[in-house]
Amino acid sequence: MSDPASVFRALHRGRAPGDPLVLPGPWDAAGARVFEDAGFPALATPSAGIAASLGYEDGRTPAHEMFAAVARITRAVSVPVSADVEGGYGLAPGELVERLLEAGAVGCNLEDSADGVLLDPRRQADRLARVCAAAAGRLFVNARIDTYVRGLPGGADPVAETIARARLYAEAGADCVYPIMAPADDLPRLSAAVPVPLNTNGMPDDPPGLRRLGELGASRITFGPLMQIHAMDAVRKLAERVRTG
């Protein structure tokens, strides 16, 4: 198991309750080195954090700039790095895979909504299957599920819809599913119904809360852009101190 994707995949397996895989989100090479030096075994870039660092709004980063940013991060560290590439920038599955591998990523997030609207789950499952086939095991595919952040038809049960999508995506070959912003109370039902590891989002300043999320069924925890936001808040406070003396 010497290839990076296999090393990364193994980190998700056999997690004890209360011991989820915690993946901080570097937005640049310097931050990535800080997280590696702190002892984290792998990292997961946030598209929103990288967008902010490059001066773009979330979702507006040009594909070539996103892949270049990911490449700078992967070159800076020796641990595996997974990349959030939003919806895939309209790239064909084979090209998306090659761009990720060229950037040094061992995995990716792919979301199932576009322009604020949920995609048809079967079409998304077909796309995931083609990405997984092109990757041939070289990438860990994390299928983001946007049922909690996009509108569902009136009266629809978000847990049931999330489970249905998660099962389709797992059958298509996804290594992990990520129902972003799923309430903690829903995690036991979700994890019990899904045959692959479950990714959830946590708060970086609440270590006991991260353990609790693991106890509720999360195998993996990421933070989106929150670490970048915390860092910029610290910079802002320092700037104010310098300015005001």
Side-chain angles (χ1 to χ4, degrees), residues 32-125:
R33 290 194 186 104
V34 168
F35 295 139
E36 181 180 31
D37 290 344
F40 288 97
L43 309 174
T45 68
S47 62
I50 288 179
S53 75
L54 297 176
Y56 294 103
E57 294 182 8
D58 185 20
R60 299 296 184 183
T61 309
H64 71 278
E65 292 200 43
M66 182 63 75
F67 287 114
V70 170
R72 288 191 292 271
I73 289 169
T74 64
R75 287 196 300 266
V77 296
S78 60
V79 296
V81 178
S82 182
D84 180 354
V85 289
E86 304 175 315
Y89 307 112
L91 298 173
E95 183 179 358
L96 175 61
V97 167
E98 292 309 312
R99 295 284 292 275
L100 283 161
L101 293 174
E102 288 171 2
V106 302
C108 66
N109 283 12
L110 285 172
E111 56 198 52
D112 67 351
S113 66
D115 299 321
V117 178
L118 283 167
L119 301 174
D120 177 85
R122 294 194 177 277
R123 289 187 178 180
Q124 178 68 359

Side-chain angles (χ1 to χ4, degrees), residues 145 147-148 152 155-164 179 183 186 189-190:
I145 302 173
T147 43
Y148 288 94
L152 289 174
D157 177 6
V159 175
E161 178 65 19
T162 299
I163 289 172
D186 288 354
R189 284 180 61 191
L190 294 172

Side-chain angles (χ1 to χ4, degrees), residues 9 12-14 140-143 145 162-179 187-199 217 219:
R9 195 169 279 113
H12 294 74
R13 295 173 178 160
F140 182 100
V141 177
N142 187 29
I145 302 173
T162 299
I163 289 172
R165 286 173 178 261
R167 287 174 172 169
L168 281 173
Y169 301 163
E171 289 172 4
D175 296 283
C176 185
V177 294
Y178 178 20
L187 297 181
R189 284 180 61 191
L190 294 172
S191 64
V194 177
V196 294
L198 183 73
N199 184 174
S219 297

